[in-house]
Amino acid sequence: IYLNDGRIVNIISDTGRYNKESHDCWFEKNVVVDDGETKIFAENLDLLATENFIKAYNDVKLNNPMGVLVADKIDYDLKTKYFKVSMFSDETVKMKVIK
């Protein structure tokens, strides 16, 4: 994926579906997202171009120069560049921040 800010995001998975009209994509099994700085690993990832939104869920791990995050679900808004991290249960999100 080529973003407007010049970043290139590579997404790899075992299986996936693509809607050529809406450009929405659904990736499943062993998903790896890499933008050169941040890596996301998950079992599922929905790239919703129609909503400028990415949903990574099921065994999500995010590696970033600022730290590591483990959760059940991460929502990422492509416009605001904000993450929303959550768990499916009352379990705590595990995160290690490095300064």
Side-chain angles (χ1 to χ4, degrees):
I1 301 169
Y2 297 91
L3 301 178
N4 290 338
D5 62 5
R7 289 182 298 153
I8 298 172
V9 179
N10 293 300
I11 303 174
I12 301 168
S13 69
D14 290 351
T15 62
R17 293 174 294 143
Y18 174 69
N19 182 318
K20 64 182 177 181
E21 292 178 13
S22 68
H23 304 290
D24 290 344
C25 302
W26 298 269
F27 300 94
E28 298 173 344
K29 297 184 182 140
N30 300 311
V31 180
V32 179
V33 180
D34 186 354
D35 71 356
E37 185 175 297
T38 300
K39 278 193 176 186
I40 299 173
F41 303 89
E43 285 303 306
N44 301 86
L45 184 129
D46 302 343
L47 173 63
L48 306 174
T50 52
E51 300 175 24
N52 287 315
F53 209 77
I54 295 174
K55 296 178 184 185
Y57 51 98
N58 294 329
D59 298 322
V60 180
K61 183 176 181 182
L62 184 143
N63 289 333
N64 181 288
M66 293 181 58
V68 176
L69 183 136
V70 177
D72 286 336
K73 183 179 177 186
I74 296 176
D75 294 334
Y76 181 66
D77 188 317
L78 291 167
K79 285 185 180 179
T80 63
K81 298 182 182 177
Y82 284 109
F83 288 100
K84 178 181 177 187
V85 181
S86 61
M87 299 296 280
F88 295 136
S89 65
D90 291 336
E91 201 176 334
T92 317
V93 172
K94 296 175 185 153
M95 180 168 57
K96 179 179 180 181
V97 179
I98 303 167
K99 286 188 176 189

